[in-house]
Amino acid sequence: MKCKICKATAQVALKSHNAAFCPECYKDFFARQVERGIKGAPGPDGRHGEPLFTRDERILVALSGGKDSLALMLELSRQGYDVTGLFVDLAIPGSSDVARAVVERFCQAHGLKLRIVDLTAEGLAIPLVKERLRRPVCSVCGKVKRHVFNRAALDGGFDAIATGHNLDDEVARLFSNTLRWDTAYLSDQGPLLPAQPGFARKVKPLWRLTEFETANYAFLMGIEHHHAPCPYSPGASFTTLKGVLQRLEAAMPGRKLDFYQGFLARGKAAFSRQEEDTGAGLAPCVRCGSPTSSGELCGVCRIRLAVAEGATA
Ligand code: FES
Ligand code: ZN
């Protein structure tokens, strides 16, 4: 098989794009897809909507140690964006320490800025949360991470927080939200969630690229990553749905991207919330300032308090 661009021996074949690439041309392909992703999702007229961010803005990239977020960070820096990595140390033995070392080495090797938030110092080490609260730890952990990303972006004066969610993550989430007809989630889903009072802008620049495509890029760029699953959540999220979608894609190459782009262009608007639904009834948490609708303390500050007191939240 020959590279579609330069006719050298191809190493990566992509059925959905009906193309194969040599390593160098593949990196260009990946870069173009990220660029197109940053230009924004298509509107009903098929043209790009609002860009995710610009070159003048400061972007905080959430790094887990996995290939997607590291690939995102590297590609954005190669394209000249002002990026800073953010690693949240969950303090899970045998997992967080390995991921943290991977992220630190990666940022050092590529001369990239990195900030680390240590949940132990915040009184929110995940093993302690797991021990003290009688609630599924993964949902609490997800909530804490989102909270920390948001605070770090706002407190650090960043314009947006970027995550490494890829097309497979997004399509699985869309499919899951659709199966439940969860209109609130459907109204918010997409590669760009604009800032709101107390909430930083959230962006997903890899939304056009599949897990396979990102994995190839990470491999060709020699990115060392951490792939051990979290010991508290054995199955990756949406495993079943991803399997179903994988079979669909194998039978109909390109369908995943069409489904997602079609939703963004023509489906999403049907679920958009009324103005009064957004931000209504939110007041700043008295401890950390994050918007909350549940009294004086926000959800995460209540978790912190419950953990400190050793009680059940
Ligand atoms: Fe948070 Fe596993 S519980 S990553
Ligand atoms: Zn709070």
Side-chain angles (χ1 to χ4, degrees), residues 75-154:
E75 183 53 36
L76 291 182
S77 82
R78 277 163 58 96
Q79 293 192 19
Y81 287 98
D82 182 350
V83 282
T84 299
L86 170 68
F87 180 76
V88 182
D89 192 328
L90 308 173
I92 300 174
S95 170
S96 304
D97 39 355
V98 183
R100 180 173 175 159
V102 164
V103 168
E104 282 175 335
R105 272 201 299 279
F106 168 85
C107 289
Q108 200 168 30
H110 297 283
L112 299 166
K113 293 173 273 189
L114 174 64
R115 295 187 176 197
I116 293 185
V117 175
D118 215 320
L119 287 191
T120 306
E122 303 278 323
L124 286 166
I126 297 300
L128 191 66
V129 173
K130 182 171 157 41
E131 183 192 307
R132 301 255 165 107
L133 303 194
R134 265 173 249 128
R135 272 161 59 182
V137 72
C138 292
S139 68
V140 178
C141 173
K143 187 180 172 116
V144 169
K145 278 192 276 195
R146 285 192 297 277
H147 173 93
V148 171
F149 292 167
N150 191 52
R151 287 260 48 101
L154 293 176

Side-chain angles (χ1 to χ4, degrees), residues 174-298:
L174 172 58
F175 197 29
S176 157
N177 290 338
T178 307
L179 287 174
R180 287 180 287 110
W181 291 113
D182 193 324
T183 51
Y185 279 118
L186 284 165
S187 76
D188 276 349
Q189 194 179 346
L192 167 66
L193 189 59
Q196 280 171 25
F199 295 106
R201 186 192 326 160
K202 295 190 190 72
V203 294
K204 300 171 182 170
L206 297 185
W207 66 273
R208 299 181 55 85
L209 289 144
T210 64
E211 223 156 270
F212 174 76
E213 289 163 353
T214 309
N216 272 296
Y217 176 81
F219 173 76
L220 293 173
M221 297 302 287
I223 295 176
E224 176 211 359
H225 53 91
H226 171 62
H227 44 234
C230 165
Y232 301 148
S233 55
S237 54
F238 302 129
T239 316
T240 312
L241 288 183
K242 280 186 176 173
V244 170
L245 292 162
Q246 230 30 57
R247 288 206 294 283
L248 178 73
E249 181 73 13
M252 305 164 97
R255 188 43 65 98
K256 269 190 303 202
L257 186 56
D258 282 353
F259 176 56
Y260 190 51
Q261 290 207 109
F263 164 73
L264 297 173
R266 299 181 299 281
K268 183 173 165 164
F271 303 102
S272 56
R273 278 188 269 178
Q274 303 299 315
E275 272 308 301
E276 56 266 26
D277 286 3
T278 54
L282 294 179
C285 164
V286 293
R287 186 184 179 281
C288 75
S290 299
T292 174
S293 57
S294 55
E296 294 199 330
L297 288 178
C298 74

Side-chain angles (χ1 to χ4, degrees), residues 59-66 68-70 72-73 84-88 103 114 145 149 160-165 203:
I59 313 301
L60 189 63
V61 182
L63 301 176
S64 63
D68 298 288
S69 56
L70 296 179
L72 170 64
M73 178 84 176
T84 299
L86 170 68
F87 180 76
V88 182
V103 168
L114 174 64
K145 278 192 276 195
F149 292 167
I161 172 101
T163 52
H165 292 98
V203 294

